[in-house]
Amino acid sequence: MNQPVPFFQFRDFPAGMQQQVEQTLVETARKAHYILGPEVQQFEQEFGQFLGGAETVMGVGNGYDALVICLKALGIGPGDEVIVPSNGYRATVNAVLQAGATPVLAEPDALTYNMTAEGARKVITSSTKALLPVHLYGQACEMEPLLDLAKAQQLFVIEDAAQAHGAAYKGKQAGTFGHCNAFSFYPTKNLGALGDGGAVVTADEELAAFVRMYRNYGERHKYQSEVVGVNSRLDELQAAVLRVKLWWLEQLNAERQRLAGVYLQKLQGTGDLLLPVTAKDCSHCYHIFCIRTSYRDQLQQWLTEQGVQTAIHYPVPVHLQAAYRFLNFRQGDFPVAEELAATSLSLPLFPGLREEEQARVVQAVKQFFESI
Ligand SMILES: *Cc1c(COP(=O)(O)O)cnc(C)c1O
């Protein structure tokens, strides 16, 4: 039997990148400047350029910290409500809770899976302080209506761009619309380190000054604290790796888009499949290629038997997870999120996925729908 098609695997794509990464690790280690050194500084500048040049980028420990620090920088805490998506990953909900604020869930668009102004408007109260849209699976949210709503209601906007390095709305990069925005460089993200990493992005100099202090124990000058901060710094070695991968990011995203294009073409009209829909003015960098079917569990089992690994993003919505029982949600509270959790399946898509592997995925999916 053939080797299984992995859901995700680190491969040397484009060929030679792995060697560049290893080389920079050795060189950076030999420079022996391990904390907040020149690699972090240069990466912050280069990522800022990538995002269009108007933003300040500050490397932090991970994407979760980036979200918490954004909330702290905006002064959001106890008594404040922050609107987050009812679907997707739990990091946003946890970050809001860690800041001491209350997460309020908004149902997403049923086709793009992203937060909409319509969905958010329904759950705004007098305590709402911020909107926290997530550019889910790599597709940029439709930002203009969200920004208009935030302006009208005097709310902050915090983007979670952890899955969307390089996605854009009307040509402007995801992560550059909100007051203060978060990126993750978790290894499997479109721009990934060889360990944890994250960044806070803002165009506001005051917020930037706060974040720079807060991530490093609140220090403005050595041993002089202006705020009670934390230790959440981007590691120097990871920054060096990220500089190499940032150089390739557009090519890596283009390959993801090419692979997505193949799936979209070959799987169109297959069974009851709902394929990813990209909204007008939004671009999609396909961090995840999520398909939907009412036969999700059977299809996943079939694909496993055929040697095709898949994943479910995400099987249980936040409001039905044991950890969040204290928020008093019930089954049926968020029907769109529940439907998405029950029907979503992610197919293998990563830079370096081979043509014959993708062909096997397509063939196995088609066979399943021919057999039922
Ligand atoms: C990965 C991810 C995070 C968290 O990033 P970490 O670096 O793992 O802390 C937050 N939000 C979203 C949408 C993510 O995909």
Side-chain angles (χ1 to χ4, degrees):
M1 174 130 171
N2 288 333
Q3 284 281 102
V5 180
F7 173 69
F8 179 89
Q9 206 169 62
F10 293 105
R11 289 185 177 161
D12 185 25
F13 184 96
M17 188 172 78
Q18 184 60 27
Q19 201 193 335
Q20 290 180 3
V21 165
E22 288 170 12
Q23 195 175 328
T24 199
L25 277 172
V26 171
E27 285 168 9
T28 308
R30 286 183 182 152
K31 284 184 200 153
H33 191 151
Y34 298 122
I35 300 292
L36 295 180
E39 295 294 324
V40 170
Q41 228 168 46
Q42 295 211 40
F43 171 70
E44 289 175 344
Q45 268 180 16
E46 288 161 6
F47 195 49
Q49 286 304 313
F50 176 85
L51 294 176
E55 315 292 317
T56 303
V57 173
M58 287 148 296
V60 297
N62 54 65
Y64 174 76
D65 281 357
L67 286 166
V68 175
I69 294 172
C70 286
L71 292 158
K72 289 273 183 192
L74 294 168
I76 291 167
D80 298 335
E81 292 180 358
V82 178
I83 298 177
V84 301
S86 60
N87 62 315
Y89 194 54
R90 67 186 89 88
T92 47
V93 174
N94 290 14
V96 172
L97 288 169
Q98 172 138 13
T102 305
V104 172
L105 308 188
E107 288 270 70
D109 181 85
L111 289 177
T112 65
Y113 318 136
N114 276 338
M115 184 187 281
T116 63
E118 224 186 335
R121 189 181 289 111
K122 288 188 187 140
V123 292
I124 289 179
T125 73
S126 57
S127 300
T128 306
K129 283 284 158 17
L131 305 179
L132 206 171
V134 179
H135 305 290
L136 197 68
Y137 303 149
Q139 175 168 196
C141 295
E142 291 178 83
M143 289 308 300
E144 235 163 52
L146 287 169
L147 294 170
D148 288 347
L149 175 66
K151 200 165 181 191
Q153 304 281 334
Q154 295 184 293
L155 307 175
F156 292 120
V157 175
I158 301 160
E159 297 170 74
D160 180 342
Q163 303 189 350
H165 321 73
Y169 171 74
K170 293 196 171 174
K172 190 174 188 293
Q173 292 286 315
T176 66
F177 292 92
H179 295 87
C180 203
N181 311 304
F183 281 90
S184 163
F185 306 121
Y186 184 85
T188 59
K189 307 282 166 153
N190 289 37
L191 177 59
L194 299 187
D196 278 313
V200 173
V201 171
T202 180
D204 182 317
E205 266 319 304
E206 264 181 56
L207 294 177
F210 174 89
V211 173
R212 213 172 267 121
M213 288 190 286
Y214 189 80
R215 71 171 172 184
N216 192 26
Y217 291 110
E219 280 190 2
R220 190 188 290 275
H221 304 293
K222 201 146 182 79
Y223 303 130
Q224 294 188 23
S225 292
E226 294 215 354
V227 298
V228 178
V230 296
N231 174 358
S232 182
R233 301 176 294 229
L234 178 62
D235 184 86
E236 184 76 358
L237 295 179
Q238 300 304 342
V241 170
L242 289 167
R243 289 185 67 205
V244 170
K245 293 211 183 164
L246 177 59
W247 198 86
W248 293 102
L249 179 56
E250 274 177 36
Q251 200 172 321
L252 293 166
N253 278 345
E255 178 60 4
R256 285 176 182 272
Q257 286 162 339
R258 187 190 69 77
L259 291 164
V262 172
Y263 278 141
L264 287 170
Q265 191 207 343
K266 304 257 159 129
L267 293 177
Q268 192 188 31
T270 304
D272 71 343
L273 281 186
L274 274 176
L275 300 175
V277 173
T278 307
K280 187 172 166 283
D281 299 324
C282 301
S283 79
H284 201 320
C285 62
Y286 293 101
H287 172 59
I288 300 279
F289 190 89
C290 173
I291 64 174
R292 289 177 51 214
T293 167
S294 54
Y295 304 95
R296 195 269 311 278
D297 292 340
Q298 297 100 301
L299 175 60
Q300 184 176 42
Q301 195 189 334
W302 165 265
L303 290 174
T304 305
E305 288 162 11
Q306 302 305 306
V308 173
Q309 295 176 356
T310 58
I312 297 176
H313 298 93
Y314 298 88
V316 183
V318 161
H319 72 282
L320 299 180
Q321 302 232 13
Y324 307 96
R325 223 172 269 145
F326 69 99
L327 292 169
N328 294 319
F329 294 121
R330 269 189 241 140
Q331 179 101 32
D333 279 353
F334 300 99
V336 179
E338 289 172 24
E339 165 91 9
L340 295 178
T343 58
S344 294
L345 185 69
S346 307
L347 297 181
L349 191 158
F350 54 90
L353 180 69
R354 291 186 273 271
E355 197 176 324
E356 68 270 19
E357 291 174 321
Q358 192 177 25
R360 277 171 59 200
V361 179
V362 169
Q363 192 192 14
V365 171
K366 283 184 171 288
Q367 278 174 349
F368 172 81
F369 284 104
E370 282 158 14
S371 72
I372 56 168

